[in-house]
Amino acid sequence: MFGECVDMFLDKLKPLADGRTQVPMKKHIHNAALDVISKVAFSSDFTSEWKGRSLMAQTDSGVESLVEITFRGIMKQITEPFFQYLHPFEAKGYRKAVRALRTIGKECIVKRIKALDSGEEVPIDILTHILKVACQETTANTLSFAVILVHQHPEVLERLLAEIDEVLGSRTSVTAEDLEKLKYTEQTMTAVACRMPQYFDDPDTFKPARFDPENKRPSPFVYFPFGVGHRACIGRHFAMMEAKLVLSRLLQTFHVALPSDYKICVVEHTTRQPYDNIMCTLQPRMK
């Protein structure tokens, strides 16, 4: 399922890979992450199954946009306690998005519970086991930052490409064994969120090598993006597998070019993410 979703993601980018078209990379990455979680967790395809439904027409948004709108509304409510009274029309739009997502989730859950109760054969996915959605937003944001940082650090990109070429070659089918071998790719994803001056030398410099197992690493209680102990995120392995697969296949397939003067601007909508859509150009890397 991971592979199918990544193939869909790359297929959508291929017609845009002419070296001139401006591609909103963050938007495409977020859509890809939503496709992954909908297929793996729900054995469903939110993008196609809900497209054109009356619920979508009422909100004038796709599922991926509903998630973004909902997070924005949550952040507004946190930072502006009286927001819904001062801006009632904008608040109404956020409430519509929340209702739409709840309807989608409820329909998926009710449908699966009925299937389980009736003894029907059901997919062995996350919903079957725990009936809970994994975190799409954070994985997509980490990937978005990774695309920017990798292409702002040519030495990191060069080493990543060397590893990807060595492990995958020209193969587009990625196995679990391949993902295990993508060590530097994992270090790169881990380094994206590393910004702790009290524990890391030069914390604002992007250094994936600092997470090389051969180097001295800090205590796991110093840097824990997925938490630690009994309450550690149950989706941490899922998220890292997804991130490594998407990044490796993206770099295997395309040359990504960002403007030379591009600067990272961060915005917080419950989660931290790039302010803009990461407009870039693509060119095919493999024939």
Side-chain angles (χ1 to χ4, degrees):
M1 289 185 183
F2 273 109
E4 292 176 11
C5 294
V6 175
D7 287 341
M8 288 170 50
F9 163 63
L10 297 174
D11 286 342
K12 291 175 183 177
L13 293 177
K14 285 176 182 176
L16 308 174
D18 56 10
R20 299 183 303 276
T21 302
Q22 293 293 308
V23 179
M25 185 56 69
K26 187 177 84 168
K27 178 180 178 181
H28 283 281
I29 288 175
H30 274 252
N31 290 350
L34 181 63
D35 287 338
V36 169
I37 196 61
S38 66
K39 284 186 177 293
V40 176
F42 291 91
S43 295
S44 179
D45 185 344
F46 289 160
T47 304
S48 63
E49 289 186 18
W50 286 85
K51 188 176 181 179
R53 296 280 291 271
S54 59
L55 181 64
M56 297 294 101
Q58 291 173 16
T59 59
D60 194 31
S61 301
V63 176
E64 64 279 359
S65 297
L66 293 177
V67 173
E68 181 181 350
I69 293 168
T70 299
F71 274 121
R72 195 159 60 237
I74 292 172
M75 198 63 189
K76 284 279 190 179
Q77 193 65 39
I78 293 172
T79 57
E80 302 178 41
F82 298 103
F83 168 76
Q84 60 181 323
Y85 305 109
L86 298 175
H87 307 280
F89 293 106
E90 189 176 350
K92 183 178 180 181
Y94 293 139
R95 287 195 294 270
K96 276 188 176 181
V98 172
R99 283 197 297 269
L101 285 177
R102 285 176 175 169
T103 300
I104 293 170
K106 183 177 180 180
E107 183 171 311
C108 291
I109 293 170
V110 169
K111 183 179 178 181
R112 182 61 55 83
I113 290 175
K114 287 182 178 178
L116 290 169
D117 290 343
S118 63
E120 294 179 24
E121 184 176 349
V122 297
I124 306 302
D125 55 17
I126 294 176
L127 181 59
T128 298
H129 292 297
I130 59 175
L131 296 176
K132 185 176 180 180
V133 180
C135 48
Q136 169 261 344
E137 179 87 0
T138 49
T139 305
N141 290 336
T142 304
L143 276 164
S144 297
F145 282 120
V147 168
I148 299 170
L149 290 167
V150 164
H151 287 84
Q152 289 182 336
H153 296 79
E155 71 286 357
V156 174
L157 177 59
E158 182 179 358
R159 187 170 171 183
L160 271 175
L161 291 176
E163 178 180 79
I164 292 166
D165 290 343
E166 179 183 350
V167 175
L168 302 182
S170 60
R171 291 184 297 109
T172 58
S173 178
V174 182
T175 66
E177 290 74 18
D178 293 329
L179 290 175
E180 182 64 27
K181 294 176 183 176
L182 293 172
K183 302 293 187 183
Y184 189 70
T185 306
E186 182 166 341
Q187 293 170 33
T188 300
M189 296 306 306
T190 305
V192 168
C194 176
R195 296 288 186 275
M196 301 182 71
Q198 64 270 46
Y199 299 109
F200 297 101
D201 294 332
D202 199 11
D204 291 325
T205 300
F206 184 54
K207 290 182 178 180
R210 76 169 90 238
F211 291 97
D212 189 318
E214 295 183 2
N215 295 331
K216 183 180 178 181
R217 299 182 65 176
S219 161
F221 293 95
V222 167
Y223 176 68
F224 44 96
F226 294 104
V228 291
H230 296 301
R231 291 179 174 79
C233 175
I234 62 172
R236 59 191 183 278
H237 298 301
F238 177 98
M240 185 57 74
M241 285 176 58
E242 177 185 351
K244 288 166 67 175
L245 180 58
V246 172
L247 184 63
S248 61
R249 290 283 285 115
L250 176 66
L251 298 181
Q252 180 197 44
T253 309
F254 299 111
H255 288 292
V256 181
L258 295 170
S260 58
D261 59 347
Y262 186 90
K263 293 183 179 179
I264 296 179
C265 293
V266 179
V267 64
E268 294 193 15
H269 293 313
T270 306
T271 57
R272 291 168 62 85
Q273 57 187 271
Y275 178 79
D276 63 351
N277 252 323
I278 316 177
M279 303 304 294
C280 60
T281 58
L282 303 174
Q283 287 185 306
R285 182 169 181 261
M286 293 176 54
K287 295 184 179 180

